Amino acid sequence: MKRGFILKANDFAEILPYSYETLLTKVQAVLKPKRFEHVKRVADTAEALAKQYDGDPIRARIAGIVHDYAKDFSDERFKSVIMSQKFDPELLAYNNGIWHGVVGTYFVQKDLQIYDSEILNAVKKHTIGAPTMTKLDQIIFIADFIEPGRDFPGVEAARQAAQVSLAAGVACELQSTLSFLIKNHKTVYPKTIDSYNAWVH
Ligand SMILES: [Fe+2]
Ligand SMILES: [Fe+2]
């Protein structure tokens, strides 16, 4: 699909059992207003990256909209799903920052009836990355970090890296995230280090 291609309502029918507008309404209902604005900017950024790098702009837009679907859910809700759905028990030692991606896919399927494995994987990986990431995984990982509302030290470098290649964008983001966690005495989820080792050379 080439740059400049404009998505039409019909394009979403393959993945969504309802309209794109309905998806927006469902997501808006569970997110704080600022976060809803963030996910729309991520969707726009992801769609643009998909067009630029010959990816799938429809999946990019949908994954962008749903990537933080569970971000405002309570810790209790996450903990009970981690136990009942047999997620890695090691996850219980972490927090919403990790859970909303890895465990968030459970809610995306259950509440939004989105079962597309490419989208679910991109949502799952958006918080910690992974040693192996598809083009869509990389696009969502980067779009979440560089969307136009982001304003933190290092974001400009990440925007520029994403213009060099998706891989450069992922590497820059992981480097920046790890440095931030370490500098601020925060715990690092071990899989984030696996991602770092795979992408940063
Ligand atoms: Fe997120
Ligand atoms: Fe996000």
Side-chain angles (χ1 to χ4, degrees):
M1 230 168 262
K2 293 283 162 279
R3 197 199 280 249
F5 175 86
I6 294 172
L7 302 183
K8 296 184 291 298
N10 227 6
D11 295 332
F12 297 93
E14 187 197 328
I15 296 159
L16 299 177
Y18 41 74
S19 71
Y20 178 68
E21 279 63 37
T22 302
L23 175 67
L24 289 178
T25 309
K26 285 174 184 284
V27 172
Q28 186 171 23
V30 302
L31 292 186
K32 292 176 181 156
K34 274 193 172 169
R35 197 167 333 273
F36 183 58
E37 295 306 313
H38 160 69
V39 301
K40 286 193 289 183
R41 289 192 300 267
V42 172
D44 290 344
T45 307
E47 180 184 332
L49 286 170
K51 287 174 174 171
Q52 182 176 350
Y53 288 109
D54 199 23
D56 182 336
I58 294 154
R59 282 183 170 80
R61 172 155 289 281
I62 295 173
I65 292 294
V66 305
H67 81 281
D68 275 344
Y69 179 74
K71 181 91 179 187
D72 294 331
F73 289 7
S74 70
D75 289 357
E76 289 62 40
R77 215 164 160 193
F78 276 112
K79 284 178 188 165
S80 83
V81 166
I82 288 166
M83 290 183 284
S84 72
Q85 303 302 312
K86 311 226 180 318
F87 280 93
D88 177 2
E90 200 187 318
L91 280 166
L92 290 169
Y94 293 86
N95 54 36
N96 175 288
I98 299 294
W99 296 338
H100 81 277
V102 180
V103 185
T105 51
Y106 168 79
F107 296 105
V108 170
Q109 293 174 80
K110 188 170 134 309
D111 296 359
L112 302 176
Q113 295 87 48
I114 294 174
Y115 305 105
D116 183 274
S117 59
E118 290 181 57
I119 291 174
L120 294 173
N121 275 320
V123 173
K124 186 176 161 187
K125 292 175 181 176
H126 91 268
T127 49
I128 56 172
T132 306
M133 295 170 84
T134 65
K135 195 182 278 187
L136 185 66
D137 296 339
Q138 295 176 53
I139 285 171
I140 296 303
F141 190 68
I142 295 168
D144 187 28
F145 200 71
I146 67 166
E147 59 93 343
R150 297 295 202 193
D151 177 24
F152 48 78
V155 72
E156 256 332 299
R159 286 185 180 125
Q160 283 168 21
Q163 290 307 306
V164 174
S165 70
L166 291 174
V170 170
C172 185
E173 178 176 342
L174 283 165
Q175 199 163 13
S176 168
T177 302
L178 258 286
S179 309
F180 174 84
L181 291 172
I182 292 164
K183 221 179 282 170
N184 290 280
H185 302 260
K186 306 249 187 217
T187 51
V188 177
Y189 186 54
K191 286 184 176 157
T192 311
I193 299 178
D194 295 341
S195 306
Y196 176 85
N197 287 339
W199 288 91
V200 178
H201 305 286

